[in-house]
Each structure stands twice: as C-alpha cells, then as structure tokens.
Amino acid sequence: MRPMIPTRTLPADAASIQEAATILAAGGLVAFPTETVYGVGADALNPDAVARIFTAKGRPAEDPLIVHLAQLSDLPRVTKGYPAVVDHLAAHCWPGPLTLVLPRGPAVPYGVTAGRETVAVRIPAHPVARALIAAAGTPVAAPSANRFGHTSPTSAAHVLADLHGRIAMVLDGGPATLGVESTVLDLSGPIPTLLRPGGVSLETLRDLLGEVAVGGRAAPTGGQVAPGLLDRHYAPDNALHLCIGPDTACQAWLQQAARTQMAAGRRVGLLIPDEDVALFADLAVDIEPLGPASDPLAIAARLYAALRALDARQPDLILARDVGEAGIARAIRDRLTRAAATVHDGSEGVVF
C-alpha cells in the first residue's frame, strides 16, 4: 500500500508560494492553479521528482508531461534549438494556453518526454503558476492534478478529491478560468500540426502560421509525442454517452435515450447547454446545465466542474451533446469524445 503524504491546502499568497517552491526544489510535488486546469508539478530536471508524478497519478510512463516555464528566456534550458516561428507564436500566445512540441534539450529527463527526443513546453498565464515557477528557479513538469484518465480538476477541491495523501501541497488560487487544457502544437516536423485543441483555437493558429495540419492520434506503441492523445481520457466514473451532430438531431436523440434508459429503471444524468433544459421538464432526470450553447467559452469554463458534480451524484449513466467545432468548441468536443464510453451522431437509434 502506498504511504500517505500529509496534503496541505494553502491560499496562494506569497508565503505559500515560497513554501511550495521549497518543496519543489526538494523533489516534492505541489498542485497549483493555471488558467487552464490545476496541475501537479515537480522539478522537470530532477528524474526522481518526475517519477513521483507518475506514481501519484497512476500515469503510464508512455504519456509525456508538459514542461512549464516562467519566461521565454528559459526556453534554452529545456530545448535543443527551436524554429524561428516559436518567437512569432510566443509574441502572440505566451503567456497563455499554448503548448509547443520542440526538440528536447539534454537537461530534460526522458521520463518527462516518454523516451522521445521532443519536449512539450508552455508558459502559463496564471500569475500563481508563473510566480511559483520563478520562485522554484527551475522548469516545472506538470500534468493535470488528478488521477490518470479521470476528469481534470479546475479547483483545489477537485485536486484533493483525487490526490489527497499523494502530494505535499495544494495552492488554492480559486477556480481555473479557461477550464480546458492547453492547445498542443507540434513544431518538430515540416508542417505545424495541431495535436490537441485547447485554449488557442485552430483558427487563431492558422491566422498566425498559415498552414496547420490536424493530427492528434495516439501512437500505436511506445511513448506519445504529447499528452492528451490517448483515446480514453478525462472520463467520469459513470459511463458518459455523447451525441455529436446537428443540434435538433442530438436533442431528439438525448430525449429518446433518456426515456429509454429511465423506462429500464436507470438513473439518468444530463450534461447539456442551458437551452436544452426545458426539453426535459417532464422527466425526472438529474441535469447539470453548462451555460448557453452560444457561449462555448462559458461552457468550457464549467465543463469539468459540472461533469464532476454530476458524476458525484452517481447516475447510472450520463448523456451529453457537443456544441460544434468552431473556436474552443473544438476542444470541448475533443474532451467529451475522449471521456465518452460511446459516441453517437443523432441519426441512429438508442443503442449503447
């Protein structure tokens, strides 16, 4: 049995940030807020500290970590040269929710990169994250602060629900504002390739760079080039069934699915935009509204918190639909698709 670590939760003030930096410097683990989700960090240049992240999360070694920097001038500490386009992207997107896959520098342990010669790097926009990294004096490797494969955390309470007793400290900086993870852009090949949609949209990247390919498939064997590519990820404990398609088709499918499952004696949870709530007024379903379908930024900010809240009430199944693929809606679709046990297009019958 893994020994328990006393996990303290402290407000993210200057004194706590300095204490957290001391823990990182000693090889310990600290959870902290970013603008995307909460991360669990370790000294990215300390192989033993990095290994503790994988143990705490139950994360497989083939899933690499993102290295977080305090400022652009730190990039040479973790990369072995990088293309000139990085400076262009940094001027527009850093600090912010954009992760770049670049050549690995020799100081970065292979444990961070899943054995690959590339490293994923970003500069977070959250002031607590940047203050912590600066105080620690080292790049910080930090995946989301949850048990592996589970719904990502957007609050200190979410972190404790998954990692209490496994990490030394949680810096409580309030709710994450963006609510979904960073965009991952691979710059290690001839064409910039979007691997994971996130807070910087594909449309923005194409405005900045011109041609941007869309990838994001997991490697069949060996280490992944970036996190967030595995088919099953971000998942609640109770099965999620997702509909992707025209709004009216998915609304009709959700209604039929809810009635069918309730008739079979199952408790149904719904993760839906505000506009859909009235469609289920005559059904005894458990609803977590996400916000207006016309405001995907609001839905992204609420997505994981709503999914965790609904999951905690233990419905027999959760039904959801996506809200398109423009802008950050592409990231919402990606997270729900990877979290889902089944995906439907709205034109089929209700068969799980």
Side-chain angles (χ1 to χ4, degrees):
M1 180 176 293
R2 180 186 291 110
M4 295 287 285
I5 300 170
T7 301
R8 293 179 299 144
T9 302
L10 297 176
D13 56 26
S16 298
I17 289 170
Q18 187 57 56
E19 186 175 351
T22 300
I23 292 170
L24 291 177
L29 304 183
V30 172
F32 60 94
T34 78
E35 73 278 19
T36 59
V37 299
Y38 272 67
V40 56
D43 179 352
L45 308 184
N46 179 337
D48 293 334
V50 168
R52 292 185 184 105
I53 291 178
F54 289 86
T55 299
K57 284 177 59 73
R59 185 184 184 97
E62 62 266 22
D63 200 20
L65 308 177
I66 294 174
V67 175
H68 294 68
L69 305 176
Q71 54 194 8
L72 185 61
S73 61
D74 291 331
L75 199 53
R77 299 183 66 182
V78 297
T79 62
K80 185 176 63 179
Y82 52 87
V85 71
V86 171
D87 290 324
H88 179 58
L89 287 167
H92 289 86
C93 302
W94 278 353
L98 177 64
T99 294
L100 302 178
V101 176
L102 302 168
R104 181 191 72 90
V108 179
Y110 282 112
V112 170
T113 68
R116 287 180 172 262
E117 292 297 341
T118 53
V119 61
V121 184
R122 88 174 181 103
I123 300 175
H126 199 291
V128 172
R130 295 185 69 197
L132 174 62
I133 299 164
T138 185
V140 173
S144 55
N146 55 301
R147 53 186 162 80
F148 178 74
H150 194 220
T151 307
S152 298
T154 54
S155 72
H158 296 163
V159 177
L160 289 172
D162 276 21
L163 298 183
H164 180 71
R166 300 184 178 204
I167 62 177
M169 180 187 291
V170 181
L171 286 173
D172 188 350
T177 52
L178 185 59
V180 294
E181 294 82 356
S182 62
T183 298
V184 178
L185 183 69
D186 187 357
L187 296 179
S188 65
I191 300 173
T193 301
L194 176 71
L195 298 181
R196 180 179 74 182
V200 176
S201 70
L202 176 61
E203 294 87 343
T204 295
L205 293 174
R206 285 176 170 164
D207 285 345
L208 291 170
L209 301 178
E211 184 180 9
V212 176
V214 177
R217 300 288 297 180
T221 59
Q224 305 301 314
V225 69
L229 303 186
L230 299 177
D231 290 339
R232 185 72 169 151
H233 220 51
Y234 317 109
D237 293 328
N238 301 285
L240 171 70
H241 303 278
L242 174 67
C243 187
I244 297 177
D247 292 354
T248 53
C250 280
Q251 288 165 342
W253 187 89
L254 290 175
Q255 287 177 297
Q256 182 187 4
R259 292 182 188 279
T260 301
Q261 294 300 312
M262 291 178 67
R266 298 186 180 95
R267 295 177 57 245
V268 174
L270 288 169
L271 192 73
I272 52 177
D274 292 356
E275 295 88 337
D276 293 7
V277 172
L279 301 175
F280 299 90
D282 63 330
L283 297 180
V285 289
D286 189 352
I287 297 177
E288 276 288 337
L290 289 170
S294 60
D295 189 355
L297 277 171
I299 289 180
R302 175 147 170 72
L303 179 66
Y304 289 144
L307 184 52
R308 279 179 173 263
L310 187 57
D311 197 33
R313 299 196 290 272
Q314 298 186 328
D316 293 313
L317 72 160
I318 298 170
L319 303 175
R321 73 172 178 93
D322 85 328
V323 290
E325 59 181 347
I328 202 167
R330 181 183 292 269
I332 296 168
R333 175 180 289 185
D334 174 81
R335 304 311 188 270
L336 287 173
T337 299
R338 295 180 194 274
T342 62
V343 179
H344 307 264
D345 68 6
S347 64
E348 61 197 58
V350 178
V351 179
F352 293 158

